[in-house]
Amino acid sequence: MAPPPAMKPASRKRGPPAPDPVELPPPGFVADRAEAAARVERLLRYQFRDGRLLEEALTHQSFADDAVSYQRLEFVGDSALGLAFSNFLYLTNPTLGPGPLSTLRAANISTEKLARVAVRHDLYPLLRRNCPRLDLLVGQFIETVKQEPEDDLGTVPYGGSVVKAPKVLADIVEAIAAAVYVDCKFDLEKLWKVTRWLFEPIITAETIDEQPVTMLHELCQKHGKMAQFKTWQKGGMTVVNVFVAGELVGIGSSEQKVIAKLNAARDATRKLAGAKKQVLTTGVGNGLGDEIGELRECKQKLNEQCSRQNWPKPIFKLEKEDGPAHERKFVCSVQVETAKGNFVTIGDPMSRVKDSENSAAQKMLEVILKF
């Protein structure tokens, strides 16, 4: 099943020979089908009554003309997971309206999120397939996911990656979920009980990555500017562009409009953080990009400063939590014990705890610099 080795480019007559291309290791394949099925059952802690359903869920349409692929199961799994998450979110968020609930559901079952579920649980090597190009795309994505920060598991999994998630990875998760659903006689409660933990961390109203949108608007308002989102369709995908002061600063895409907007906001925030030119300010030395970039690093900088001065480690505390679940704001404080006494600073209200901690740390650094 392994793809043929890539041909090395021939040496040129003029100049040094071209370097060999960087080759990623293939994702691998479990040829022992009994072992492949056993891995899924151990992962789910569920034993299939009809093993043919699981084998169907682990078969790509490229494998063989006479083999039944996962496409029908993927169709069922897409709907079943959507309904299962709808029930869960409805019951656990009694104060949320249909808009925020739809956003949470879309985030949890997006291609980006489910693809990372497949990577985290090493499901692709279990898939029967015969498509070297698919192996290449999946291999590239797997390497990208490995480089993502672990503390972003609750946010990154549904967008913002440089490499687009191959749909086949999400299809595997949906097909396996459908195999369980059909095998247990369409018992939705049983499906959720068996598969729920696969999706951890589940994106909630407190952790959903709407913060880039909120942060973008807050910072734009602070500088008297406005962020505008323009949406258009391209080949079945929704594309969202973000403009600030008439300049394109972010692009995001997804099959779902709400996720495309989140991706665009993340992209805009990231680009503005590294931008050298002043987008929001004119004639001011400290622009939005510097402000975001510095804020995100303040907690780390404070820890480093305390370590250099041989002071005790800063103590961060959540002081206040306010607002409805979908618009929650957090206020944190930080206490530092220095040679000149104890100091406490309070951060600004933020949509994430770690952002408020960074805000408190920024204020503490300003206090420390004064003496």
Side-chain angles (χ1 to χ4, degrees):
M1 297 297 300
M7 295 182 63
K8 298 181 179 180
S11 299
R12 298 179 180 178
K13 293 182 179 180
R14 297 179 181 178
D20 292 343
V22 176
E23 296 184 12
L24 296 174
F29 174 65
V30 178
D32 185 339
R33 303 317 296 165
E35 172 59 21
R39 288 191 189 183
V40 175
E41 291 185 332
R42 287 196 298 267
L43 179 66
L44 299 176
R45 299 181 181 87
Y46 177 84
Q47 186 171 1
F48 282 84
R49 299 180 181 89
D50 186 352
R52 292 172 299 179
L53 287 169
L54 184 53
E55 186 65 4
E56 181 179 331
L58 298 176
T59 302
H60 188 258
Q61 57 265 33
S62 66
F63 178 66
D65 293 336
D66 57 346
V68 180
S69 75
Y70 62 56
Q71 289 177 303
R72 279 171 52 84
L73 284 175
E74 181 265 327
F75 165 77
V76 173
D78 178 49
S79 299
L81 286 179
L83 183 55
F85 267 102
S86 294
N87 292 349
F88 170 74
L89 295 169
Y90 176 84
L91 294 173
T92 55
N93 297 275
T95 63
L96 288 191
L101 287 174
S102 296
T103 299
L104 285 174
R105 181 181 60 190
N108 278 289
I109 61 176
S110 71
T111 298
E112 295 286 344
K113 165 82 184 209
L114 295 185
R116 284 167 173 79
V117 170
V119 172
R120 192 157 59 245
H121 298 294
D122 202 23
L123 297 179
Y124 187 72
L126 309 181
L127 182 71
R128 296 195 299 174
R129 77 271 179 189
N130 185 19
C131 186
R133 174 171 170 76
L134 196 63
D135 289 346
L136 176 62
L137 294 174
V138 171
Q140 291 174 339
F141 180 73
I142 290 174
E143 291 301 313
T144 300
V145 171
K146 288 179 179 178
Q147 298 173 20
E148 292 174 351
E150 291 185 4
D151 62 353
D152 278 349
L153 279 176
T155 56
V156 170
Y158 62 97
S161 175
V162 176
V163 178
K164 181 182 176 182
K167 186 176 180 295
V168 62
L169 293 173
D171 289 347
I172 297 170
V173 176
E174 291 173 339
I176 290 175
V180 174
Y181 187 48
V182 175
D183 192 66
C184 68
K185 307 301 182 185
F186 302 94
D187 185 337
L188 193 65
E189 185 176 350
K190 179 69 172 179
L191 167 66
W192 183 244
K193 182 178 180 181
V194 171
T195 63
R196 170 184 171 172
W197 74 276
L198 290 177
F199 309 105
E200 296 290 349
I202 291 176
I203 301 166
T204 66
E206 289 74 27
T207 61
I208 187 168
D209 199 17
E210 287 185 330
Q211 287 77 16
V213 178
T214 304
M215 182 181 291
L216 198 58
H217 283 308
E218 288 175 350
L219 288 167
C220 286
Q221 290 170 5
K222 182 178 178 180
H223 292 277
K225 303 293 182 180
M226 180 181 296
Q228 295 180 312
F229 292 83
K230 303 290 185 181
T231 303
W232 49 288
Q233 298 293 322
K234 180 181 179 181
M237 298 286 288
T238 298
V239 180
V240 177
N241 293 343
V242 182
F243 293 88
V244 174
E247 182 174 346
L248 178 64
V249 296
I251 300 175
S253 64
S254 175
E255 295 172 352
Q256 297 146 326
K257 181 179 178 180
V258 65
I259 303 302
K261 183 177 181 180
L262 293 175
N263 291 346
R266 287 173 62 89
D267 185 50
T269 302
R270 184 166 48 245
K271 288 179 179 177
L272 287 171
K276 294 181 179 180
K277 53 188 176 181
Q278 308 298 322
V279 177
L280 294 184
T281 58
T282 304
V284 179
N286 186 19
L288 172 66
D290 293 334
E291 182 175 342
I292 296 177
E294 289 181 0
L295 182 63
R296 288 184 172 182
E297 300 170 357
C298 283
K299 185 175 180 180
Q300 179 182 346
K301 289 181 179 179
L302 181 59
N303 282 322
E304 292 172 352
Q305 178 70 11
C306 290
S307 177
R308 282 195 297 267
Q309 299 292 338
N310 293 320
W311 295 338
K313 189 175 181 180
I315 300 174
F316 289 88
K317 180 181 178 182
L318 178 61
E319 296 286 350
K320 186 179 179 182
E321 186 177 335
D322 197 16
H326 62 290
E327 295 179 353
R328 192 68 50 88
K329 295 290 185 179
F330 302 93
V331 177
C332 294
S333 68
V334 62
Q335 176 181 331
V336 173
E337 182 181 344
T338 74
K340 295 182 178 291
N342 290 336
F343 295 88
V344 177
T345 54
I346 306 294
D348 294 327
M350 293 288 185
S351 303
R352 293 191 295 185
V353 171
K354 67 179 181 180
D355 289 338
S356 185
E357 288 179 341
N358 275 314
S359 176
Q362 184 183 52
K363 295 177 185 296
M364 180 59 71
L365 286 169
E366 293 172 356
V367 171
I368 292 174
L369 286 175
K370 290 180 181 180
F371 63 82

